[in-house]
Amino acid sequence: MNRTKNGSDEMELSRIDHILASEEPLIPSSGFLESVMERVREEAAAPPPIPFPWKRAIPAVLLSAGIFGWAAFELVRLGLLTVGKLSAVGSASLAMPHFSAAAAQPFEPAGWVALALGTSLLSWLLARSLAGRSGLL
Amino acid sequence: MQAAISAADDLADVNRVLAGDVQSFEGIVRRWQGPLINMAWRYCRDRGRAEELAQEAFLRAWRGLSQWRRESSFSTWLFALAANVFRSELRRFPTVTVPLEAAPEPSGPPTQHNTLSKELSSGAVRRAVLALPQRYREPVVLFYFHEMDLAAAARTMGLPEGTMKARLSRARALLRRRFPQLETEHAEIEFGALNPGKEA
């Protein structure tokens, strides 16, 4: 009785095993080796991929993180202030809180718009400067 | 076949390639082209595709040669890498297979002189392996590629031997259920071998 190699000793060899185990080996075609080596040589001769410009990107990343962090902090602070005011006024004025806030501080949104525009301008200038230095522009 | 390939030659060639000698990779390809093409063939049963897959595996090996940690043999690393390449490439562009139930069944047990019928049944069984569910197909392919060395097949798949064994048993059961006649034939062959005078 034939048995398989290590680890599967209890498996008796069946006809299916014989069929699957006894295959005529394929001989590689004559050009296979050369074709693999050609591709390897191509890869070896290719210039290395351009690394990501971390040195240039880090200031921009830090700046963006700072702006977003500050914006998040301001939002939370304003939110807490609004909640505080609302709770002080009482539940009667809960129906239309935005009208009173807008009436009290009419120019506050303009400041946010200006900040957003400034940030966009800054990031555009930074991106343009980075692209110009790397020869893309 | 694989045991005859010198591990020392592999190591020397890998060191030379890592030192910048591209041409030394040729030694690796020369030694392993046969095994890798045959392994790929068992995955897809298409000669042209098998060579493409083997070529892709060699390229990945070239790119990742520095990742071979030398804890295992070069062949173990290469086969595991090749199995990953074959699996992912065949997932992207699968070979055309028929469901296991639709795989042609041999018409009957072949006689001693019926070699054509034998060839047909062998072909049917080999094609049926490709129709097995994915989780059972690869253990079968690798087990028989590694000349029924369960440990080597498990290392190539990166699976514990127990898991490999369980999947293999299930796969063999599926194949036996699909080809019950081959089991009958097996019994007849064994009986014939025990009583050779009866056949004459």
Side-chain angles (χ1 to χ4, degrees):
Chain A
M1 180 192 296
N2 292 322
R3 294 202 184 261
T4 61
K5 279 187 190 173
N6 50 339
S8 54
D9 287 343
E10 76 282 5
M11 290 180 188
E12 187 188 339
L13 289 185
S14 69
R15 172 101 178 96
I16 290 174
D17 291 307
H18 282 295
I19 288 171
L20 294 175
S22 60
E23 279 207 49
E24 283 296 309
L26 286 184
I27 307 295
S29 62
S30 55
F32 180 77
L33 174 70
E34 193 41 48
S35 124
V36 172
M37 285 311 294
E38 195 178 323
R39 284 196 65 189
V40 166
R41 278 190 287 267
E42 273 173 19
E43 287 225 355
I50 301 167
F52 189 78
W54 282 110
K55 277 186 184 171
R56 293 175 187 176
I58 280 174
V61 170
L62 289 177
L63 186 67
S64 309
I67 289 170
F68 279 109
W70 176 70
F73 172 77
E74 282 296 309
L75 277 175
V76 171
R77 193 176 64 85
L78 285 173
L80 287 176
L81 278 176
T82 311
V83 169
K85 279 179 190 170
L86 285 176
S87 60
V89 169
S91 60
S93 61
L94 272 175
M96 295 168 66
H98 296 292
F99 289 115
S100 57
Q105 296 166 322
F107 296 110
E108 193 177 329
W112 283 107
V113 170
L115 178 68
L117 284 173
T119 310
S120 304
L121 182 67
L122 197 65
S123 62
W124 178 71
L125 286 173
L126 188 68
R128 194 179 153 76
S129 145
L130 286 174
R133 265 188 275 167
S134 64
L136 290 171
L137 283 177
Chain B
M1 175 172 56
Q2 291 132 26
I5 294 171
S6 167
D9 287 348
D10 287 331
L11 186 61
D13 280 342
V14 169
N15 285 336
R16 277 195 288 268
V17 171
L18 291 177
D21 179 9
V22 179
Q23 203 54 36
S24 290
F25 195 69
E26 189 173 322
I28 295 171
V29 180
R30 197 180 294 280
R31 277 190 295 282
W32 293 103
Q33 58 179 345
L36 248 57
I37 288 174
N38 277 283
M39 184 175 161
W41 160 256
R42 285 172 179 265
Y43 269 80
C44 64
R45 300 269 156 207
D46 176 334
R47 192 192 164 104
R49 188 89 197 273
E51 292 209 350
E52 280 174 20
L53 290 172
Q55 177 163 321
E56 188 58 36
F58 276 121
L59 276 176
R60 301 271 181 96
W62 154 259
R63 289 177 201 140
L65 212 53
S66 59
Q67 288 161 22
W68 173 41
R69 291 180 194 162
R70 297 160 200 238
E71 292 157 359
S72 57
S73 68
F74 179 74
S75 61
T76 303
W77 177 78
L78 185 65
F79 283 140
L81 178 143
N84 274 330
V85 171
F86 300 163
R87 199 180 304 131
S88 60
E89 288 291 312
L90 288 169
R91 201 175 293 139
R92 283 172 61 208
F93 305 107
T95 48
V96 179
T97 56
V98 292
L100 188 59
E101 296 72 30
E105 195 171 342
S107 54
T111 63
Q112 197 173 358
H113 306 290
N114 197 352
T115 49
L116 177 65
S117 174
K118 222 170 194 173
E119 283 299 312
L120 286 174
S121 65
S122 300
V125 172
R126 286 166 189 158
R127 279 193 300 277
V129 170
L130 293 189
L132 285 170
Q134 169 71 35
R135 62 189 281 109
Y136 303 124
R137 187 191 316 151
E138 204 171 352
V140 172
V141 163
L142 291 174
F143 178 68
Y144 293 103
F145 169 71
H146 283 294
E147 297 169 349
M148 293 192 276
D149 185 338
L150 188 75
R155 278 197 301 273
T156 300
M157 267 200 89
L159 284 177
E161 279 186 42
T163 310
M164 192 76 175
K165 202 170 177 177
R167 289 190 190 179
L168 198 56
S169 292
R170 177 75 184 130
R172 288 152 58 99
L174 286 170
L175 287 173
R176 280 202 199 99
R177 198 184 305 158
R178 180 69 197 106
F179 301 103
Q181 282 173 308
L182 291 177
E183 291 303 302
T184 317
E185 177 199 337
H186 163 61
E188 283 175 8
I189 287 168
E190 282 206 334
F191 186 72
L194 288 171
N195 304 279
K198 261 196 160 183
E199 263 189 50

